[in-house]
Amino acid sequence: MVEARVLPGHRQAGIQGLERLEEHVHMKRLPFWRRPYFERPILDIGAGHNPFNNVTHVVEIDPTQGHQRGGNRLVVPESAKLIVGNVTALPFQSGSFDYVYASHVLEHVESPGSACREIMRVGRSGYIETPSPFLEQGLSLRGSEPPENWFHRWFVFTLPADVLVFEPKTPETVSQFCSCPDGQFMREFYAGVEFGESQHCFRRKAKTTIFYWRSAFRVEVRERTVDCQKDGLVCRFTGMKKALLANCNDLFRAPRLLRFRKTFPGCKEVFRKYGFRTVFVR
């Protein structure tokens, strides 16, 4: 049984900025082969104006404010309960939910370790999504970052064996690159493109950190940008390089990648310098 502090009057649209009309709701969905078809109840943390499909409970830290939703009104499906709460101290008993969905939330929190432990405490499985370091660093370096990204605190990426890693995103760390070849490749790549424009040529998978988990997962919160040559830890730039190269081999994005190559011809020299050959940038 789920026990929580339900917002009074949650069945009415009396809260400023709350939309309750089911026909106006744009539901988020996972790929059909990864959807939680039989899991109930389902918790959506920070649903904002795009709640998760079939959600039964929605947690929002402040339903009356919409600055982290780009000014959009909060949307809660008629079938779901709205609860005021914080991801770092969820107001539920342990194991209350079969599935926990947390999209574009953890990059904002002050204590991601606490948030992840709470997600695992109340849920049995789930899905976490954040902007990828490839997107975060690219937008921040050249001053093309949109206002909604100004308060992101973390670069979030994954490692094998179910590890979710957080590195601080600050004005200092945005300009830091690992001394390894992957880090230097990404540094030169960003220097040769206008990322605010070029990002539209890249697929969502390159611009998003996607993490499915079951039972539990490991969390690593770092105090600074890791240099794998000095620290003996995997740096974020290895995954960023892989995402970029995979994107440049994507046949489904051929028109955009050909436009990217034409718009930013200097990137070809960077790829060649580091020995990377792809279908569309070589």
Side-chain angles (χ1 to χ4, degrees), residues 228-260:
C228 65
Q229 303 287 81
K230 302 175 182 178
D231 301 316
L233 298 172
V234 178
C235 68
R236 66 177 181 262
F237 302 97
T238 297
M240 293 161 68
K241 177 207 69 177
K242 290 180 179 178
L244 174 57
L245 296 183
N247 187 95
C248 292
N249 282 316
D250 189 348
L251 297 177
F252 293 103
R253 300 193 73 79
R256 295 192 182 193
L257 290 169
L258 290 172
R259 186 174 74 245
F260 169 76

Side-chain angles (χ1 to χ4, degrees), residues 136-272:
E136 291 272 19
Q137 194 150 9
L139 289 176
S140 301
L141 274 170
R142 303 289 288 275
S144 53
E145 190 169 28
E148 61 267 23
N149 283 29
W150 291 347
F151 41 77
H152 292 180
R153 300 172 183 269
W154 304 97
F155 295 111
V156 187
F157 58 102
T158 64
L159 295 178
D162 295 328
V163 182
L164 195 61
V165 182
F166 296 82
E167 286 188 344
K169 179 190 172 189
T170 67
E172 293 74 29
T173 60
V174 158
S175 60
Q176 293 174 352
F177 292 84
C178 185
S179 61
C180 72
D182 291 344
Q184 295 309 299
F185 166 68
M186 292 307 305
R187 180 182 62 81
E188 294 189 37
F189 169 79
Y190 285 134
V193 301
E194 173 48 59
F195 195 82
E197 179 183 351
S198 68
Q199 64 154 321
H200 303 295
C201 299
F202 305 125
R203 59 186 180 181
R204 178 178 178 272
K205 189 174 181 179
K207 297 186 288 186
T208 309
T209 293
I210 293 172
F211 188 73
Y212 295 91
W213 63 275
R214 183 167 293 278
S215 299
F217 57 93
R218 292 168 53 199
V219 183
E220 184 177 331
V221 182
R222 298 173 173 176
E223 297 181 351
R224 56 182 175 82
T225 296
V226 158
D227 188 315
C228 65
Q229 303 287 81
K230 302 175 182 178
D231 301 316
L233 298 172
V234 178
C235 68
R236 66 177 181 262
F237 302 97
T238 297
M240 293 161 68
K241 177 207 69 177
K242 290 180 179 178
L244 174 57
L245 296 183
N247 187 95
C248 292
N249 282 316
D250 189 348
L251 297 177
F252 293 103
R253 300 193 73 79
R256 295 192 182 193
L257 290 169
L258 290 172
R259 186 174 74 245
F260 169 76
R261 186 175 67 179
K262 181 179 180 180
T263 305
F264 304 103
C267 69
K268 292 185 290 185
E269 296 304 319
V270 177
F271 274 62
R272 291 171 184 161

